[in-house]
Amino acid sequence: MEGTTAHNLSYSLLRNSMAIILCILLSGAVYAQDLIQIRSISVDNATLVSTDKQGDIYLAFKDGSVDKYDRKGQLLHHFSPKELAEPTLIEAWNPLKIFLFYQDFQEYTFLDRFLTTANRFSLSPISSYVGLATLSTDNNLWLVDLSDFSLKKYDVNFQEITIDRPLDLVLSPDEYELTFMREYQNLLFISDKNEGLLLFDNFGNYLRTLSTQSVDAFGFFNDEIYFVKQDVIHILNIYSGDSHYIKLPLPAKYAVMGKNTIVAITA
């Protein structure tokens, strides 16, 4: 997605007024876009959104349920948990192993592509309190352990910590608000509302800060990372640092971009 290249790009906008709005991009330049609404679908109380590598969309709700939609907005599958709990993070990039983290319960679970087989696993044997957790590309776990303010990688099969890095040299132990974490292209990204968007290597070593803006969540598209501020999607190249943006017709809190779609949630 480059600023001088024309595209036929569609995007979908999930509003807190309980509607997914699908729009088509008429002008391809990312600095000036003309968008028209082509479809809307009613939803209710969605709090998190994610997308898999195939472009399907996952909505998580306050009661812990999850809906899976295709790129046309058709509902494919629904998950209803046995125990109600609001998810803190959903990661659906691998459609065969969808990850959900529950901070309040200090648990995580995996769903398959049909949103079934939801066994929940406790994080208590690893830490007295985990602030963030996400799935690594080798199907282990990245954890922000708040009991000793460290970044850890946990081997699920051998049940042992393989990486343990202190975070107090990067973040203030007294002033932090971690919001999201994800591994991508052998790099780990963590967003903090005070420090911005932090980049680590696959050994947990801090590399640099990509953006100092307050970021609630972020996503990836090819070699670019993006996040939403008001009605603008900010897009940064991970390697070159080049940036551009997409203007949305309404302010949004979250967004995910696929090959042909964007999903955004307004506050």
Side-chain angles (χ1 to χ4, degrees), residues 153-222:
K153 190 172 185 181
Y154 178 73
D155 189 304
V156 175
N157 294 321
F158 290 97
Q159 299 183 350
E160 63 180 11
I161 301 295
T162 58
I163 293 174
D164 191 345
R165 299 284 184 266
L167 284 173
D168 55 1
L169 298 178
V170 181
L171 297 168
S172 169
D174 300 319
E175 297 180 7
Y176 66 88
E177 189 175 351
L178 304 177
T179 58
F180 194 64
M181 176 168 62
R182 185 177 172 189
E183 183 178 342
Y184 185 74
Q185 295 187 358
N186 291 320
L187 297 168
L188 182 67
F189 301 79
I190 302 177
S191 54
D192 175 73
K193 283 198 171 183
N194 295 316
E195 295 296 328
L197 196 54
L198 309 176
L199 174 61
F200 299 79
D201 65 18
N202 59 350
F203 296 103
N205 299 305
Y206 170 74
L207 298 177
R208 63 184 183 275
T209 299
L210 294 177
S211 172
T212 57
Q213 294 194 57
S214 173
V215 178
D216 288 322
F218 52 86
F220 299 92
F221 187 81
N222 296 331

Side-chain angles (χ1 to χ4, degrees), residues 32-46:
Q33 300 164 1
D34 295 320
L35 302 166
I36 58 171
Q37 177 180 327
I38 60 175
R39 189 177 181 190
S40 65
I41 303 168
S42 177
V43 296
D44 189 23
N45 294 326

Side-chain angles (χ1 to χ4, degrees), residues 91-108:
E91 178 54 67
W93 182 248
N94 180 357
L96 304 179
K97 199 169 188 179
I98 300 151
F99 177 85
L100 289 161
F101 167 59
Y102 303 88
Q103 186 185 68
D104 290 345
F105 284 87
Q106 291 293 285
E107 293 178 343
Y108 66 94

Side-chain angles (χ1 to χ4, degrees), residues 102-148:
Y102 303 88
Q103 186 185 68
D104 290 345
F105 284 87
Q106 291 293 285
E107 293 178 343
Y108 66 94
T109 191
F110 296 111
L111 304 178
D112 62 19
R113 63 191 181 99
F114 302 109
L115 302 189
T116 59
T117 63
N119 295 320
R120 287 167 70 161
F121 304 93
S122 175
L123 291 167
S124 298
I126 309 171
S127 166
S128 59
Y129 198 80
V130 173
L132 274 181
T134 195
L135 190 65
S136 65
T137 53
D138 58 2
N139 290 316
N140 292 303
L141 298 179
W142 283 108
L143 310 170
V144 174
D145 188 346
L146 296 185
S147 65
D148 59 3

